Amino acid sequence: MVLDGRTLKSGCESGPRAGYDGYKRRNGSKVHIAVDTLGHLLAVHVTPANEQERAQVAQLCEAVQEAPGQSVQLAWADQGYTGEEPRQQASEHGIDLQVVKLSETKKGFVLLPRRWVVERSFGWLARFRRSSRDYERLPQVLAGLYFLVFVLLMLPNALPALTQGMSS
């Protein structure tokens, strides 16, 4: 499993629940997602943008362990999840949280292990305009839209298998 979050600029409907992300310098909501090693969505959690990523580890891990039946044992995350508290929250749910850090002597592009999987998933989301900004009044609707987008993304892969089973 790979964890990450991104900040979405808020629209007029989501403005009252939005927070300010000082790193990105924008008002909005932060969407925290957990994906499997193929990039398929496992869990979504929406917070105001001023919430720290490391504070959301417990909710993401709990949602992930409910979905596949307590089978996730390892999670990769970026430097936003450093510290003892996120590691402890993940271990309470039976997950070993490994933070993948950039090397200090980095020159040019460096491919970090497994972090690219969640970034690719965010790239897939970019194909849907509605997921580029937070237009929703309720955070549950935004989370539901993320699940709907991933169903639409996975559907073409499932169709050949479904139609092959129907023809025999």
Side-chain angles (χ1 to χ4, degrees), residues 1-4 32-37 39-45 56-76 81 89-90 92-97 118 147:
M1 163 175 88
V2 188
L3 304 174
D4 202 5
H32 310 272
I33 68 170
V35 297
D36 64 6
T37 55
H40 300 137
L41 187 64
L42 297 175
V44 178
H45 184 62
Q56 313 309 318
V57 172
Q59 288 148 336
L60 285 174
C61 289
E62 182 179 344
V64 165
Q65 292 295 42
E66 286 176 4
Q70 302 280 346
S71 62
V72 176
Q73 297 174 356
L74 179 63
W76 291 283
Y81 295 89
Q89 290 175 355
E92 287 173 4
H93 295 283
I95 298 174
D96 177 29
L97 181 65
V118 71
F147 278 108

Side-chain angles (χ1 to χ4, degrees), residues 48-60:
N50 56 347
E51 294 285 329
Q52 294 291 323
E53 290 179 340
R54 62 180 65 98
Q56 313 309 318
V57 172
Q59 288 148 336
L60 285 174

Side-chain angles (χ1 to χ4, degrees), residues 75-143:
W76 291 283
D78 64 3
Q79 293 176 345
Y81 295 89
T82 55
E84 190 57 39
E85 185 180 341
R87 189 180 306 272
Q88 178 65 30
Q89 290 175 355
S91 66
E92 287 173 4
H93 295 283
I95 298 174
D96 177 29
L97 181 65
Q98 294 183 0
V99 177
V100 179
K101 295 184 179 183
L102 286 168
S103 66
E104 278 96 44
T105 60
K106 176 187 135 174
K107 287 187 178 181
F109 176 76
V110 177
L111 182 64
L112 297 173
R114 292 293 172 195
R115 282 256 316 275
W116 59 270
V117 174
V118 71
E119 300 301 335
R120 181 184 64 187
S121 298
F122 282 134
W124 290 344
L125 284 165
R127 294 164 60 190
F128 296 84
R129 287 169 107 196
R130 185 125 180 212
S131 67
S132 66
R133 194 171 211 183
D134 184 7
Y135 296 108
E136 310 309 322
R137 186 172 293 160
L138 299 173
Q140 297 88 347
V141 175
L142 182 61

